Amino acid sequence: MPGKAQHFQGPQLLGAAFLAIGLWAWAEKGVLSNLSSITDLGGFDPVWLFLVVGGVMFVLGFAGCIGALRENTFLLKFFSVFLGLIFFLELTAGVLAFIFKDWIKDQLNFFINNNVKAYRDDIDLQNLIDFAQEYWSCCGAHGPNDWNLNIYFNCTDSNPSRERCGVPFSCCVKDPAEDVLNTQCGYDVRLKLELEQQSFIHTKGCAGQFEKWLQDNLIVVAGTFVGVALLQIFGICMAQNLVSDINAVKANW
């Protein structure tokens, strides 16, 4: 059934592209030549997103595409069960997140602060934090003082870093008149009074700003999840339909 196999090729190719990007990123950082460094990073490595999502999509696409081409009911059933399991896990995670909202907030704060500590350890993590702080106009999990958790930005007397008592440039309030990015705009800013800081940096925490963004974009977020769920249900139904057609043809032999 070559025609129906084309429906499974998209996820397979996209998954392969994600895997290639992830492996290329690790090669650039020297991780592939020193696999022990995978566990050295204290924070979250964004490359894992590409590898996990790419791996899952590639396996699903491969099973569906080969199963349809070769009329292999085992691969098609594997595709259905695997996709159904992902759908069930997503549904369970959504229900649990709604029930245990306070616990999710605590985990989000812990996650952000843990990555604040590892800000300088990985360039991809650094870019991810900078993007989040710029996009949501925030600084740290609860506020700028969370950057005391980082060895380069903390205010201890023993800290020799020039960034002592500062924050990353992504926390800064952007001046529209500036054409060149000032990466030193956060230096010494936490030595100022809190009211003074508001003129130079964003003082709201990223956890609160992210929660506010979710509330403001609830329809878009919910619509995205519903759309993904419908695609998954469609994939399961299509695979089961193919299995039924194959079994029906074999029964007439």
Side-chain angles (χ1 to χ4, degrees):
M1 299 181 181
K4 293 186 178 181
Q6 293 178 355
H7 296 291
F8 300 97
Q9 287 181 345
Q12 184 182 1
L13 293 174
L14 191 58
F18 275 31
L19 280 173
I21 292 171
L23 292 173
W24 170 79
W26 267 2
E28 286 292 303
K29 293 192 290 187
V31 173
L32 295 182
S33 59
N34 182 21
L35 293 178
S36 63
S37 62
I38 293 176
T39 58
D40 292 343
L41 180 62
F44 171 71
D45 188 350
V47 174
W48 277 111
L49 273 179
F50 285 92
L51 293 175
V52 173
V53 173
V56 170
M57 291 181 69
F58 180 79
V59 169
L60 278 173
F62 179 83
C65 186
I66 300 301
L69 281 172
R70 305 296 299 175
E71 298 185 1
N72 188 311
T73 56
F74 173 78
L75 287 177
L76 290 172
K77 287 177 181 178
F78 170 81
F79 175 88
S80 296
V81 172
F82 196 5
L83 195 56
L85 180 62
I86 293 173
F87 176 77
F88 175 75
L89 290 174
E90 290 172 348
L91 187 63
T92 304
V95 172
L96 291 177
F98 180 77
I99 296 174
F100 300 104
K101 286 186 286 188
D102 292 336
W103 183 82
I104 293 295
K105 289 179 184 178
D106 292 339
Q107 293 303 307
L108 179 62
N109 290 329
F110 174 78
F111 176 78
I112 295 174
N113 284 332
N114 197 43
N115 286 292
V116 162
K117 294 178 187 178
Y119 177 75
R120 292 292 190 205
D121 296 349
D122 182 81
I123 187 63
D124 292 325
L125 174 62
Q126 182 175 312
N127 289 336
L128 180 64
I129 292 174
D130 286 335
F131 169 79
Q133 292 191 147
E134 287 180 333
Y135 185 80
W136 284 302
S137 300
C138 58
C139 192
H142 294 99
N145 286 332
D146 287 336
W147 284 97
N148 273 326
L149 296 170
N150 187 279
I151 60 173
Y152 299 100
F153 294 97
N154 70 59
C155 285
T156 56
D157 294 333
S158 58
N159 182 10
S161 171
R162 178 62 189 89
E163 296 175 310
R164 176 180 174 273
C165 276
V167 293
F169 71 91
S170 52
C171 286
C172 295
V173 176
K174 296 295 182 292
D175 184 355
E178 284 187 351
D179 295 327
V180 180
L181 180 66
N182 180 11
T183 57
Q184 300 180 359
C185 58
Y187 283 13
D188 302 322
V189 72
R190 286 190 294 118
L191 293 174
K192 304 178 187 294
L193 296 174
E194 188 173 340
L195 286 176
E196 290 183 83
Q197 291 179 18
Q198 293 177 7
S199 301
F200 300 94
I201 61 172
H202 301 293
T203 55
K204 293 181 179 178
C206 290
Q209 289 294 88
F210 176 67
E211 185 179 357
K212 181 178 180 296
W213 178 85
L214 281 179
Q215 293 172 351
D216 293 342
N217 297 274
L218 188 59
I219 295 176
V220 176
V221 174
T224 301
F225 277 104
V226 170
V228 171
L230 289 175
L231 285 173
Q232 290 173 331
I233 293 171
F234 174 74
I236 294 170
C237 292
M238 187 169 62
Q240 288 300 313
N241 183 51
L242 278 172
V243 170
S244 298
D245 290 345
I246 292 169
N247 288 334
V249 171
K250 286 181 177 179
N252 293 327
W253 285 357

